[in-house]
Amino acid sequence: MKSLIKEFTKGIAIENPTFGLVLGLCPTLAVSTSLINAIGMGVAATFVLLGSNIIISAVRRLIPAQIRIPCFIVIIATFVTINELMMKAFFPALNQALGIFVPLIVVNCIVLGRAEAFACKRPVLDSIFDALGMGVGFTLALCIIAAVREVLGAGTFLGFGLVKGFEPITVFILAPGALLTMGILIGIVNYWHIKLKTSKEITKAGCDGCK
Amino acid sequence: MKEMLKYGFILGLICFLASAVLSVVNAVTEPQIKLQKETEENLALKEVMPEALNFKPKFEGEKVIYYTAYNNVGEINGFIVKAEGKGYSFVIEAMAGLNPKLEITNVKILSQNETPGLGNRIMKDSFLSQFKGKGLDSFNQVQAITGATISSRAVINSIGNKISELKNQLLEELQHGR
């Protein structure tokens, strides 16, 4: 049980896909213009991650190592398509807001990364917790970036106006704002990690030390 | 060789299973997606011409080129045209209601992908309400939004072009209807 919790929390904190592993930045930068989009994208990606992790870890012994990548892609693409069809049928507004980034979850490196690095080597239960942790971590990171951008760039929070007379800083809604916000947030997270490490006085040598 | 066949078989099997799952999901969601599209379109039609009761699409091949709107006694109330123009980032789809004098009653943006906060201000009422009552000759009075000239122009021009393109056809239909 303890190890399962560890698999879950690592995705949120140390190995956070956005701030720790710095994976899947394209959708992160593109859809984090408003908080509601960020939540939608996070949930969609978590669904795909969960589905692909479960299936891949369940059939991991049947897939020969030489053709594992095409197999992973087919499985991931299947879940993305299910996701897209469901969204179109039941949440058309969200589908329109996320646009091209829903089908593009296929090439989101977080999903393939978890399949390759985790699900194809570990049992189903571990993979479920890994997927949930990564999904929640990705969603949280997206939400933090989106909240900063929406508040500064549009003067709203979840679509509600905040302060009257506040002239929004439009650049935060645009692409440069995404890079600025993310850079600063990654900086803060890294600073916090380093501080945490030195306070525990854990010093590791070699490649493991500079993760 | 034998290995290759084995890999091909496994990959083929996975693809087969995946397509089987997808066909089931598609069968479940397809009617719902169609329904969503229709209600969306109907809502948009009602929005650009609230006083009309019925809408009859006019087809050219598979594509709807315009809708004729009828009131409760079956007279032609006007037309609704769909226009597409290249915006700053992508095609902007707009829908415009026309009265029998071919003046605009209302405009609605169906889909757009413009920059949030700049280009997507074309969705705002302050811009779209300018179209009300404009005909072909008074189109140039519609003011583009500052900082979103390309997006605004795309809407203005696409609607204007569409009306002049369909003008004769619509007038003919009017005479026919009466």
Side-chain angles (χ1 to χ4, degrees), chain B residues 131-144:
Chain B
F131 283 97
K132 276 179 194 164
K134 296 281 191 300
L136 262 183
D137 42 349
S138 51
F139 237 87
N140 49 8
Q141 289 164 19
V142 178
Q143 300 244 333

Side-chain angles (χ1 to χ4, degrees), chain A residues 15-166:
Chain A
E15 287 183 33
N16 186 298
T18 307
F19 296 139
L21 304 176
V22 201
L23 282 177
L25 292 192
C26 171
T28 308
L29 296 174
V31 302
S32 62
T33 49
S34 74
L35 198 49
I36 199 81
N37 284 1
I39 295 170
M41 183 70 196
V43 171
T46 308
F47 169 80
V48 173
L49 203 49
L50 191 59
S52 75
N53 257 18
I54 290 173
I55 298 293
I56 287 168
S57 98
V59 299
R60 67 186 187 281
R61 284 185 221 288
L62 301 176
I63 298 176
Q66 289 87 339
I67 56 160
R68 65 186 193 285
I69 301 286
C71 293
F72 294 168
I73 294 284
V74 171
I75 293 167
I76 294 167
T78 310
F79 277 101
V80 171
T81 315
I82 293 174
N83 195 358
E84 197 195 351
L85 289 174
M86 291 286 189
M87 233 183 207
K88 264 190 187 153
F90 303 109
F91 308 100
L94 187 63
N95 184 60
Q96 216 171 24
L98 296 178
I100 186 74
F101 291 99
V102 177
L104 280 184
I105 296 175
V106 171
V107 285
N108 191 320
C109 17
I110 300 168
V111 185
L112 190 60
R114 287 337 282 173
E116 173 80 9
F118 199 93
C120 71
K121 293 173 194 150
R122 306 287 282 269
V124 176
L125 201 61
D126 287 10
S127 302
I128 292 176
F129 278 85
D130 176 69
L132 286 175
M134 284 293 160
V136 171
F138 181 59
T139 313
L140 271 180
L142 263 178
C143 286
I144 295 170
I145 299 172
V148 172
R149 289 182 67 191
E150 193 183 336
V151 167
L152 292 179
T156 59
F157 188 79
L158 272 172
F160 300 108
L162 281 183
V163 192
K164 274 223 165 107
F166 167 70

Side-chain angles (χ1 to χ4, degrees), chain A residues 161-181:
Chain A
L162 281 183
V163 192
K164 274 223 165 107
F166 167 70
E167 184 63 40
I169 314 160
T170 314
V171 73
F172 272 97
I173 284 288
L174 304 177
L179 293 166
L180 275 175
T181 313

Side-chain angles (χ1 to χ4, degrees), chain A residues 33 59 62-67 70-71 74-75 77-79 81-82 84-86 88-92 96 100 170 173-174, chain B residues 3 6-8 10-11 14-15 17-19 21-22 25-26 28-30 32-33 36 40 110-113 115-118:
Chain A
T33 49
V59 299
L62 301 176
I63 298 176
Q66 289 87 339
I67 56 160
C71 293
V74 171
I75 293 167
T78 310
F79 277 101
T81 315
I82 293 174
E84 197 195 351
L85 289 174
M86 291 286 189
K88 264 190 187 153
F90 303 109
F91 308 100
Q96 216 171 24
I100 186 74
T170 314
I173 284 288
L174 304 177
Chain B
E3 287 279 277
K6 191 183 142 206
Y7 295 157
I10 292 175
L11 194 53
I14 289 177
C15 288
L17 289 177
S19 49
V21 170
L22 281 183
V25 174
N26 187 45
V28 173
T29 52
E30 204 184 9
Q32 187 70 26
I33 291 173
Q36 290 283 6
E40 209 174 291
L110 291 181
S111 71
Q112 55 89 23
N113 213 347
T115 319
L118 285 173

Side-chain angles (χ1 to χ4, degrees), chain B residues 64-119:
Chain B
V64 178
I65 42 174
Y66 63 86
Y67 293 87
T68 316
Y70 297 94
N71 62 10
N72 47 4
V73 285
E75 286 172 325
I76 289 182
N77 215 332
F79 302 97
I80 290 161
V81 295
K82 259 198 211 170
E84 285 169 8
K86 177 96 181 66
Y88 187 71
S89 57
F90 201 63
V91 172
I92 303 173
E93 255 190 301
M95 197 179 238
L98 305 171
N99 64 16
K101 281 185 242 158
L102 299 191
E103 288 167 352
I104 288 180
T105 56
N106 213 343
V107 171
K108 186 183 157 66
I109 306 290
L110 291 181
S111 71
Q112 55 89 23
N113 213 347
E114 303 298 287
T115 319
L118 285 173

